[in-house]
Amino acid sequence: MRQWVESRRMLVGEKVRLTNRITAALKSYFPQVLDWFDDKDTIAYCEFLEAFPNLHAAQAATADVLRDFFRSHHIIRKTTIQRRTQQIQDAGPPLTRDDAITIPAQALMRGLVALLKVVLSQLIVFERQIASLFESLPDADLFKALPGAGPHLAPRLLAAFGEDRTRFNCAQSFLSYIGIAPVKEESGKKRWVHWHWSCPIFLRQTFVEWVAHARPRSVWSQAFYQQQRRKGQSHQKAIRALAYKWGRIL
């Protein structure tokens, strides 16, 4: 399970990287499309760019062609289709008509889109495998019940704790292992507290990400967070303090 969830997180990182690069390429010659789609990491977005790689191609398409495209990609709300169709028709002139800019940028966009489609399809495979493994484990219901865990963070939390209940003899040993517990050092009259430098980064990231999701869904978590903020703590320090509390509870 740990190998699967870590590999999936790596693919998510690649998805974000490719999406950002596609956005950068589009900004150089076709920025209008960025306003037409809220989600830029979907197959529908990728295939729209393949079918209509520039403003001229998009505006040359009839309303029926655009409606058929959206419906074939499971976008069925009439208001959404009408809004996008109208945005395409009303879009201003192209940012540039300089072939020295548009042709290389369009070629780059197509290459990046092809890579993004591969990553998106593999993410589906990984998520199905993780869901199947997660449901087969006896502690799945416990982690599914945690506030804000969801289908992605619940398996990662289960992997962080593992199945060997004798591995950690107390909450402090678990918190120290994943890097949530602060490190206290002293030398003479000096005493300082700092973040763990040596720990499983992925597990610590998992725990901190989950706590951030749990906060708005848990009354006491939100109250504790606000208490820390009123004390002058930054957002990150307040989240780490909350993660320490949650670690002891779990």
Side-chain angles (χ1 to χ4, degrees), residues 193-205:
V193 179
H194 63 80
W195 190 240
H196 267 275
W197 303 118
S198 179
C199 67
I201 301 299
F202 178 75
L203 298 185
R204 181 168 69 186
Q205 179 191 42

Side-chain angles (χ1 to χ4, degrees), residues 5 52 83 155 171 208:
V5 295
F52 313 104
R83 175 177 57 82
V208 172

Side-chain angles (χ1 to χ4, degrees), residues 22-174:
I22 291 169
T23 298
L26 290 169
K27 283 182 178 179
S28 67
Y29 82 102
F30 187 20
Q32 294 88 346
V33 70
L34 300 174
D35 295 327
W36 304 341
F37 288 83
D38 295 325
D39 298 320
K40 298 173 179 61
D41 56 357
T42 64
I43 293 294
Y45 179 66
C46 291
E47 294 189 348
F48 182 89
L49 291 173
E50 288 178 330
F52 313 104
N54 53 55
L55 182 60
H56 175 74
Q59 291 186 322
T62 64
D64 289 338
V65 168
L66 292 172
R67 277 195 294 269
D68 289 343
F69 174 87
F70 291 131
R71 287 171 180 165
S72 68
H73 289 80
H74 311 291
I75 301 170
I76 58 176
R77 292 184 61 181
K78 290 184 179 180
T79 54
T80 301
I81 294 174
Q82 290 173 352
R83 175 177 57 82
R84 288 183 178 172
T85 302
Q86 193 64 42
Q87 285 177 318
I88 292 169
Q89 292 173 348
D90 295 342
L95 181 63
T96 178
R97 291 185 172 87
D98 187 349
D99 288 346
I101 295 174
T102 60
I103 293 176
Q106 187 170 305
L108 174 62
M109 179 274 293
R110 286 184 179 276
L112 293 171
V113 163
L115 294 173
L116 180 57
K117 287 178 69 176
V118 173
V119 171
L120 292 175
S121 65
Q122 287 304 305
L123 275 172
I124 294 172
V125 173
F126 273 69
E127 286 165 3
R128 287 174 179 169
Q129 181 65 26
I130 290 168
S132 176
L133 279 173
F134 180 65
E135 292 295 340
S136 71
L137 297 172
D139 288 333
D141 288 339
L142 169 65
F143 289 94
K144 280 194 293 186
L146 295 176
H152 301 317
L153 285 171
R156 287 172 61 179
L157 286 168
L158 189 152
F161 278 87
E163 61 184 353
D164 182 1
R165 295 181 184 275
T166 65
R167 184 179 182 187
F168 304 108
N169 57 13
C170 64
Q172 189 65 32
S173 64
F174 169 75

Side-chain angles (χ1 to χ4, degrees), residues 9 146-154 156-157 205-218 221-222 235 239 242 246:
R9 188 65 184 79
L146 295 176
H152 301 317
L153 285 171
R156 287 172 61 179
L157 286 168
Q205 179 191 42
T206 293
F207 212 73
V208 172
E209 283 184 14
W210 166 64
V211 167
H213 281 82
R215 177 175 63 85
R217 297 171 176 82
S218 167
S221 296
Q222 181 72 351
H235 168 74
I239 288 293
L242 181 57
W246 265 114

